[in-house]
C-alpha cells in the first residue's frame, strides 16, 4: 500500500468528504444491513436492502418524535420554514404538498430547460477555479429561480440567500452562519411573498403551477406553500452543486472521458447518471424510529437515530445491474427534482466542457456530514 494511501474513514459521516471512500462503502454494503455504531450513538442502514427497508418503513420518520423543529431553530424564521418543508414532515403534512410539488416539477419542459441552461451557462464560462466554485452553486440556483419566475436581476441575491439559508440545516454551522441563515430566511420569504402578492407569477412558471396545484388540491396553508417554494431552492443548492462538481472531478481524473464526450455529446446524460451512482453528491440521510421496529430479526427500539447510508447502496454489487441508483432517495420522500437536476447538470457541463479542459484543477471537499461537494483550486500546470 503506498504511504500516502488514505486510511479508511472512521465512520460513514466522515466518509462523505474522504478522498477515496468507495471501498469502505462497498465493504459496508457487504456487511449486515442494520447495525449499531457506538461512535455515532446510532444505527446504520447499509447496502441496497438496508437502505430500502428503512426508507420504506412507516415507523422510520424524517424527524425525531416530539421534535419537529431542532431546538436551535425553534421560534426563528428558519424554524418557520423548516416546520413546513415536505422533506421534514410525514403523513398529511407531507402527502398533499409532496404531490403538488412533484406534479408541478413534472410539468417542467425539460427540452426548454436544457436550452435555457445551455444559454445561461455559456454566458458564465468558469475561467478560474474560484469562479468554478461559485458557478457550480449559482447556475443551478439561477435556473430554478428562472423556472419559478424571478427576473434575472434577482437571481444573484436569491442564490446567495439560499446558500446562507442551507447553513441552518447543517449541524456543523457556527453562530455567525446560523445568524446569516436567519437573515437569509427572512429575505427569501419576503421575496417569494412579493412575487406571489404582486401577481407576477407568470402563467407556465413553476411558481404559478405550484400555487394553482395547491389551490386545486385544497392545500391552503399559505405559509406552507411559501416555505416549500423556498425549499425548492434549498433542495437544489448543495445536491446539484455536488453532482456538477463530482462530474467535473470525473472529467479531470479520466481525461479520456472528455474526448469520448466531445465525439458523442449524446453520452452526456449517461455520464451524469454514472457520476450519480459512482460518486454521488448526497451520501446519507437520517431517520428516527417512532416505535420499536424489527428488520430481519434485528430490533431497533423507539427513539433511535438511523443513518441511512445511500452511498453504500450506490456501491452495492447486487444493485449494479439496475438502472436506477438510490442517490436520489427511495420511498415516499424520494426526490421529485431528479430530472430537473440531471438536465441542469448535463447542460452546464456541455457548455463548460471546452473551458474545463483548459483549467487544470485540484480539489478537496467542503465540510459536510452528508453532501460531497468539491472545492476546486488551481492544479498542476496552472
Ligand atoms: C443532484 C441533485 C439532487 C440530489 C442528489 C437530490 C437528492 C435528494 C434526496 C436523497 C432526497 C430524499 C431525502 C430523504 O429521503 O431523506 C431528496 C428530496 C427532495 N428533493 Fe432532491 N436532490 C437533488 C436535486 C433536487 C432539485 C433540483 C429539486 C427541486 C427543484 C429537489 C427537490 C427535492 C424535494 C422537494 C425533496 C423532498 C421530498 C420529500 O421529502 O418528499 N431536489 N433529494
Amino acid at each position: 500500500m503506498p504511504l500516502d494511501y488514505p486510511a479508511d474513514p472512521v465512520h460513514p459521516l466522515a466518509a462523505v468528504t474522504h478522498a477515496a471512500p468507495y471501498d469502505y462503502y462497498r465493504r459496508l454494503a457487504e456487511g449486515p444491513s442494520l447495525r449499531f455504531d457506538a461512535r455515532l450513538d446510532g444505527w446504520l442502514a447499509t447496502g441496497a436492502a438496508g437502505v430500502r427497508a428503512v426508507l420504506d418503513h412507516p415507523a422510520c420518520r424524517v424527524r425525531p418524535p416530539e421534535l419537529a423543529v431542532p431546538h436551535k431553530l425553534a421560534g426563528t424564521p428558519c424554524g418557520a420554514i423548516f416546520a413546513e418543508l415536505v422533506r421534514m414532515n410525514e403523513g398529511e403534512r407531507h402527502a398533499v404538498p409532496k404531490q403538488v410539488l412533484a406534479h408541478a416539477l413534472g410539468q417542467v419542459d425539460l427540452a426548454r430547460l436544457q436550452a435555457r441552461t445551455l444559454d445561461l451557462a455559456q454566458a458564465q464560462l468558469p475561467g478560474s477555479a474560484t469562479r468554478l466554485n461559485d458557478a457550480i452553486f449559482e447556475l443551478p440556483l439561477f435556473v430554478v429561480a428562472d423556472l419559478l419566475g424571478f427576473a434575472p436581476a434577482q437571481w444573484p441575491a436569491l442564490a446567495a440567500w439560499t446558500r446562507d439559508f442551507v447553513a441552518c440545516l447543517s449541524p456543523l454551522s457556527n453562530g455567525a452562519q446560523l445568524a446569516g441563515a436567519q437573515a437569509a430566511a427572512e429575505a427569501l420569504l419576503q421575496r417569494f411573498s412579493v412575487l406571489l402578492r404582486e401577481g407576477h407569477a407568470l402563467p407556465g412558471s413553476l411558481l404559478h403551477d405550484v400555487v394553482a396545484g395547491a389551490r386545486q388540491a385544497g392545500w391552503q396553508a399559505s405559509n406552507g406553500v411559501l416555505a416549500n417554494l423556498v425549499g425548492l431552492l434549498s433542495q437544489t443548492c448543495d445536491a446539484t452543486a455536488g453532482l456538477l462538481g463530482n462530474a467535473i472531478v470525473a472529467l479531470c481524473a479520466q481525461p479520456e472521458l472528455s474526448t469520448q464526450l466531445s465525439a458523442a455529446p449524446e453520452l452526456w446524460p449517461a455520464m451524469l447518471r454514472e457520476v450519480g451512482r459512482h460518486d454521488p453528491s448526497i451520501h446519507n440521510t437520517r431517520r428516527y424510529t417512532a416505535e420499536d421496529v424489527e428488520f430481519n430479526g434485528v430490533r431497533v427500539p423507539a427513539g433511535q437515530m438511523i443513518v441511512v447510508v445511500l452511498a453504500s447502496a450506490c456501491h452495492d454489487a447486487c444493485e449494479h445491474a439496475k438502472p436506477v441508483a438510490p442517490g436520489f432517495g427511495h420511498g415516499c420522500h424520494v426526490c421529485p427534482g431528479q430530472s430537473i437536476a440531471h438536465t441542469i447538470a448535463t447542460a452546464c457541463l456541455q457548455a463548460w466542457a471546452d473551458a474545463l479542459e483548459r483549467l487544470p484543477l485540484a480539489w478537496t471537499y467542503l465540510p459536510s456530514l452528508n453532501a460531497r461537494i468539491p472545492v476546486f483550486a488551481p492544479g498542476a500546470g496552472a
Side-chain angles (χ1 to χ4, degrees):
M1 183 186 291
L3 275 180
D4 61 352
Y5 191 85
D8 257 359
V10 288
H11 51 58
L13 303 187
V16 174
T17 52
H18 188 274
Y22 294 114
D23 276 339
Y24 167 76
Y25 279 130
R26 255 186 291 279
R27 272 178 275 124
L28 280 185
E30 285 161 9
S33 54
L34 201 71
R35 73 197 86 172
F36 187 75
D37 186 315
R39 287 154 309 179
L40 298 179
D41 191 22
W43 295 77
L44 303 181
T46 56
V51 163
R52 282 212 197 99
V54 171
L55 295 182
D56 277 334
H57 202 295
C60 295
R61 308 279 166 81
V62 287
R63 293 291 307 151
E66 319 300 327
L67 192 63
V69 174
H71 290 302
K72 65 179 183 189
L73 303 183
T76 68
C78 289
I81 295 176
F82 191 102
E84 298 290 346
L85 292 175
V86 293
R87 168 72 186 79
M88 303 299 173
N89 279 285
E90 311 281 3
E92 265 178 41
R93 290 168 68 86
H94 171 258
V96 172
K98 170 69 177 280
Q99 203 187 335
V100 169
L101 293 177
H103 184 263
L105 290 167
Q107 300 288 100
V108 169
D109 177 340
L110 295 178
R112 246 176 87 187
L113 179 67
Q114 157 90 9
R116 181 76 170 135
T117 309
L118 261 178
D119 274 355
L120 293 172
Q122 256 147 9
Q124 310 219 16
L125 290 184
S128 68
T130 313
R131 189 54 215 124
L132 183 60
N133 290 330
D134 287 336
I136 60 173
F137 280 95
E138 279 175 357
L139 254 294
L141 290 170
F142 285 7
V143 171
V144 174
D146 185 39
L147 277 180
L148 283 162
F150 283 103
Q154 296 181 288
W155 302 344
L158 288 165
W161 289 323
T162 304
R163 292 191 66 183
D164 287 349
F165 168 70
V166 297
C168 81
L169 306 172
S170 167
L172 300 180
S173 295
N174 60 30
Q177 287 166 316
L178 285 178
Q182 299 297 356
E186 280 185 327
L188 287 167
L189 285 172
Q190 199 262 346
R191 286 311 141 107
F192 274 104
S193 11
V194 170
L195 193 64
L196 278 174
R197 206 176 45 233
E198 294 186 351
H200 292 324
L202 303 170
S205 70
L206 186 53
L207 184 84
H208 181 273
D209 288 352
V210 170
V211 173
R215 199 172 301 129
Q216 215 175 8
W219 176 23
Q220 274 154 352
S222 61
N223 289 346
V225 176
L226 218 54
N228 278 290
L229 288 167
V230 173
L232 292 181
L233 288 177
S234 65
Q235 292 287 149
T236 298
C237 188
D238 285 1
T240 317
L243 175 62
L244 259 174
N246 295 333
I248 294 167
V249 165
L251 292 175
C252 293
Q254 304 165 64
E256 69 284 1
L257 270 182
S258 303
T259 320
Q260 286 167 15
L261 288 160
S262 72
E266 69 279 7
L267 295 180
W268 276 109
M271 184 269 187
L272 261 300
R273 275 196 302 278
E274 284 302 292
V275 169
R277 180 194 294 267
H278 290 288
D279 193 16
S281 59
I282 302 299
H283 279 206
N284 62 67
T285 184
R286 296 184 193 199
R287 292 295 187 266
Y288 302 85
T289 49
E291 52 194 65
D292 293 1
V293 291
E294 200 175 307
F295 302 96
N296 286 337
V298 181
R299 192 178 144 278
V300 182
Q304 297 285 300
M305 173 186 76
I306 305 178
V307 177
V308 181
V309 190
L310 301 169
S312 75
C314 293
H315 280 265
D316 186 330
C318 309
E319 286 295 286
H320 266 218
K322 301 203 175 145
V324 180
F328 285 86
H330 169 80
C332 71
H333 284 278
V334 71
C335 179
Q338 179 166 357
S339 309
I340 289 180
H342 266 175
T343 304
I344 295 173
T346 305
C348 285
L349 286 177
Q350 274 185 280
W352 295 343
D354 289 345
L356 288 172
E357 279 194 56
R358 294 189 295 274
L359 204 60
L361 295 167
W363 58 89
T364 52
Y365 292 93
L366 278 178
S368 171
L369 301 181
N370 74 326
R372 183 169 181 84
I373 310 172
V375 191
F376 296 103

